Amino acid sequence: MKKIITVIVLFIGMNAIAQRSEKKVIDPETFAQKNTERLTKELGLNEDQQAKVYDMNLKNAQERTSKMEERKSGERKKPTEEEREARKAEMGAQLNAHKEEMRGILNTEQFQKWETMQEKRGNGKKGAKKMKS
């Protein structure tokens, strides 16, 4: 009886771990559409802004997807300290570029609200240093 209970507990535990490790992959178009819809709702974007934000989100999502595929296809190895620092610098530059692009699309009020949203989500705290508005 103890063996049966042990097997059931192990089975349930392994099943729970397997479900947590599965990541749902969203295609870039769906991601860009959902993110644009969310920003439209939260920031009150007009049609021109929506189109620009969608294009930016799509481009970023496609780049992320291609880099993720590139990492998956290569041999998994622990990055060196220099590689980690280079990646951190690259991510900081990408965050700054994204922020500047959003600054060009949004009006001042929308941009301030967007920055507040980013800080609440934890973006901008790591990687790039805060830029002065």
Side-chain angles (χ1 to χ4, degrees), residues 13 16 26 30 44 65 70 77:
I26 299 175
T30 303
T65 302
E70 184 180 306
K77 61 180 177 124

Side-chain angles (χ1 to χ4, degrees), residues 50-98:
Q50 285 178 34
K52 290 177 181 177
V53 168
Y54 175 81
D55 290 341
M56 182 184 60
N57 285 333
L58 181 60
K59 180 186 76 165
N60 290 340
Q62 288 170 335
E63 287 174 4
R64 264 194 320 273
T65 302
S66 68
K67 286 183 180 185
M68 188 170 50
E69 291 298 322
E70 184 180 306
R71 283 191 300 269
K72 283 183 180 179
S73 66
E75 181 182 325
R76 293 192 62 95
K77 61 180 177 124
K78 187 173 182 177
T80 64
E81 186 65 32
E82 294 83 26
E83 291 171 333
R84 272 183 280 179
E85 290 300 319
R87 178 70 182 134
K88 195 183 277 190
E90 180 185 346
M91 288 174 62
Q94 288 172 345
L95 284 172
N96 284 334
H98 179 72

Side-chain angles (χ1 to χ4, degrees), residues 6-130:
T6 304
V7 170
I8 291 172
V9 169
L10 285 174
F11 179 74
I12 291 171
M14 288 175 32
N15 193 20
I17 290 170
Q19 287 178 354
R20 269 190 252 142
S21 66
E22 292 177 16
K23 289 188 177 181
K24 188 175 181 182
V25 177
I26 299 175
D27 66 292
E29 290 83 11
T30 303
F31 173 81
Q33 184 63 40
K34 287 185 178 192
N35 196 22
T36 302
E37 288 171 3
R38 181 182 59 83
L39 290 175
T40 298
K41 180 180 175 185
E42 293 180 10
L43 300 175
L45 303 179
N46 63 36
E47 288 184 20
D48 184 47
Q49 289 173 320
Q50 285 178 34
K52 290 177 181 177
V53 168
Y54 175 81
D55 290 341
M56 182 184 60
N57 285 333
L58 181 60
K59 180 186 76 165
N60 290 340
Q62 288 170 335
E63 287 174 4
R64 264 194 320 273
T65 302
S66 68
K67 286 183 180 185
M68 188 170 50
E69 291 298 322
E70 184 180 306
R71 283 191 300 269
K72 283 183 180 179
S73 66
E75 181 182 325
R76 293 192 62 95
K77 61 180 177 124
K78 187 173 182 177
T80 64
E81 186 65 32
E82 294 83 26
E83 291 171 333
R84 272 183 280 179
E85 290 300 319
R87 178 70 182 134
K88 195 183 277 190
E90 180 185 346
M91 288 174 62
Q94 288 172 345
L95 284 172
N96 284 334
H98 179 72
K99 185 174 184 176
E100 286 304 314
E101 198 167 352
M102 287 300 284
R103 186 188 307 266
I105 295 171
L106 304 175
N107 65 36
T108 305
E109 182 181 316
Q110 290 171 326
F111 183 74
Q112 289 173 346
K113 189 173 182 180
W114 177 79
E115 275 192 314
T116 303
M117 290 167 37
Q118 295 303 309
E119 288 173 7
K120 285 181 182 176
R121 292 181 69 210
N123 295 344
K125 292 182 180 177
K126 299 177 186 172
K129 293 187 169 131
K130 289 195 76 144

